[in-house]
Amino acid sequence: MEQLLQRLSTSKRVTWLMSRAGVLAAACLYALMLPLTTPSPNHSLFRFPALGHFPAIGLCVVLALPVLLVRRLPAAVFAAVLGEAVLGDLFGARPLIVLILLVVLSGNLAARRPTAAAVGSVAGVAAVFVNDVHVHGQSVSGAAQWAGQFALWFAVAWVFGGVYRKRREYLEALHEQTAARVVMAERLRIARELHDSVAHSIGIITVLSGAAARVVETKPEQTRQALRGIETTSRETLLELQRMLGALRRAEPDDAMPQAAPLAPAGSLADVPQLAERTAGAGVRVHLTWQGEQRPLPPEIELSAFRIIQESVTNVVRHSGARTCRVAVGYEPTGVRIEVVDDGDDSPGGPGRPRFAAGAGGSGFGLLGMRERVTLLSGQFSAGRRPEGGFRVTASLPA
């Protein structure tokens, strides 16, 4: 029930209907109060008995029609009601509701056009003063006192309208900032996904192509294996990019593609063994160990854990001379813990693996992306060189 009420309160259509209903109710109230607040020397309900009841009711309805346009033309409606007040004084009728409506309209006008509201308020006060002096024969001091009272009410309405205007501007600015933050967060998420999915594959392809170039003449069989590895890795990368682009296209439906291909499931910890096999083809053996009772985790935890392992292994392939690395995945009661360790060039598997120029440098976005993933999930992350050599990456993700 609360969710339904919240949706109704934030729905644009409901807000539009409520605003129109409020304007219609205000117009009906104004038409009803016109004859009831019109003073008459004969103590009659209507000031002009010659019109009859029904013509007088029709006149009140006509006088209330401009109120229906208050949202589109606030300045014009204020001028129309001010004209009704002046004409009412000239014809000997001064409905109190007209003056009250002028004060309300001045506040509404101040919320949109403060300068026009100020000018209209001055004109309204001047009209009240002139009519009191010349039409009803009051003294200047009495008319000034009466006009001063209305000047005070106009000022209060103008202040309230200005406060409402400032609040609306603040909410609009806050909404724009929120939208900008959402766009920035989505851009960062897409950048992380692209980096994590492409950097690993490009690193593997770089290492395999470098190895193939070194042994193309002396070891043709190893060259063919390297080329097959490049083909497999590039095909998988292409499919993953297509899935990601398809997801982005699905975010904004296109009538030209009514039947989009179903998206493959995102990466998870179940894909780590396959990742280890691909990494072995690049010359780095991954020793994978599982600790604790394996269980399904939330999708965002599974994806982040897999991306952290993928990026860490990619860094070993691209930036380390190690021939082996160790990946430990520990299932804990409160979440999952990941550790990726390599021994650098001092790996016990023998002399360090040669480093290729294309993989020697890095943008530094890999560690930043992993840290952002862990921070968004309220986890803990650490990465750094080991005193005994190599590099260690650890992450704890609550689940």
Side-chain angles (χ1 to χ4, degrees):
M1 186 64 181
E2 293 181 358
Q3 295 180 354
L4 178 60
L5 293 176
Q6 185 177 5
R7 289 183 179 180
L8 290 176
S9 62
T10 56
S11 174
K12 293 183 178 180
R13 182 174 298 179
V14 172
T15 303
W16 185 86
L17 290 176
M18 292 182 62
S19 62
R20 296 305 185 276
V23 171
L24 180 60
C28 294
L29 180 63
Y30 178 56
L32 178 64
M33 296 300 295
L34 272 175
L36 297 179
T37 59
T38 300
S40 173
N42 300 325
H43 302 285
S44 177
L45 182 64
F46 297 102
R47 177 67 179 85
F48 305 102
L51 292 178
H53 288 70
F54 291 105
I57 292 175
L59 177 62
C60 292
V61 172
V62 171
L63 293 177
L65 288 179
V67 180
L68 298 176
L69 302 177
V70 67
R71 293 183 60 86
R72 291 187 178 182
L73 304 171
V77 173
F78 182 88
V81 176
L82 179 61
E84 293 178 7
V86 174
L87 291 177
D89 283 328
L90 293 177
F91 283 98
R94 298 185 62 191
L96 183 61
I97 188 64
V98 178
L99 302 179
I100 296 176
L101 182 61
L102 276 178
V103 174
V104 175
L105 290 178
S106 67
N108 176 73
L109 187 58
R112 301 183 181 186
R113 299 173 58 182
T115 304
V119 174
S121 300
V122 173
V125 173
V128 171
F129 177 79
V130 171
N131 280 306
D132 271 6
V133 171
H134 293 87
V135 177
H136 300 282
Q138 292 189 14
S139 63
V140 175
S141 60
Q145 184 178 2
W146 176 251
Q149 294 178 1
F150 273 94
L152 177 61
W153 284 110
F154 277 121
V156 171
W158 192 88
V159 170
F160 273 97
V163 171
Y164 179 81
R165 184 182 71 257
K166 292 297 183 181
R167 179 179 179 274
R168 184 182 59 193
E169 293 175 354
Y170 170 76
L171 292 177
E172 290 177 354
L174 187 63
H175 179 72
E176 293 178 358
Q177 292 177 2
T178 303
R181 284 196 297 267
V182 170
V183 172
M184 182 60 65
E186 184 67 13
R187 290 177 60 186
L188 291 176
R189 186 189 69 83
I190 295 173
R192 282 196 302 267
E193 291 296 328
L194 286 175
H195 180 274
D196 293 344
S197 61
V198 175
H200 172 76
S201 301
I202 296 301
I204 298 296
I205 292 174
T206 300
V207 172
L208 291 177
S209 60
R214 291 174 181 270
V215 299
V216 64
E217 295 181 356
T218 59
K219 298 179 179 180
E221 182 61 26
Q222 293 186 4
T223 302
R224 282 193 293 270
Q225 292 179 359
L227 293 176
R228 283 195 293 269
I230 292 174
E231 180 185 5
T232 302
T233 304
S234 59
R235 183 182 294 111
E236 292 176 353
T237 304
L238 179 60
L239 291 176
E240 189 167 359
L241 288 176
Q242 289 177 346
R243 290 195 297 267
M244 187 175 298
L245 293 176
L248 294 177
R249 292 292 297 273
R250 289 280 292 274
E252 184 176 356
D254 189 358
D255 296 338
M257 299 178 62
Q259 296 180 350
L263 299 178
S268 64
L269 290 174
D271 299 325
V272 175
Q274 184 180 0
L275 173 66
E277 293 178 2
R278 292 199 304 265
T279 307
V284 177
R285 294 191 304 274
V286 178
H287 299 288
L288 179 61
T289 58
W290 301 89
Q291 301 172 357
E293 183 180 356
Q294 299 185 26
R295 66 182 188 276
L297 299 174
E300 63 274 10
I301 302 296
E302 291 274 356
L303 176 60
S304 297
F306 173 76
R307 292 302 189 194
I308 291 172
I309 296 174
Q310 184 184 50
E311 178 61 25
S312 300
V313 173
T314 301
N315 289 338
V316 175
V317 174
R318 298 179 63 186
H319 310 308
S320 172
R323 292 184 179 275
T324 62
C325 72
R326 299 182 298 277
V327 176
V329 181
Y331 286 86
E332 301 176 350
T334 58
V336 61
R337 178 178 175 81
I338 301 166
E339 184 179 43
V340 182
V341 180
D342 72 88
D343 298 325
D345 296 340
D346 299 329
S347 174
R353 178 174 48 83
R355 305 185 188 187
F356 299 97
S363 62
F365 292 132
L367 293 177
L368 178 61
M370 288 189 285
R371 190 179 300 277
E372 288 177 350
R373 285 183 180 276
V374 175
T375 302
L376 289 174
L377 297 174
S378 301
Q380 296 179 355
F381 176 83
S382 65
R385 295 191 178 276
R386 305 167 63 209
E388 60 272 23
F391 204 85
R392 174 188 283 114
V393 175
T394 60
S396 296
L397 301 177

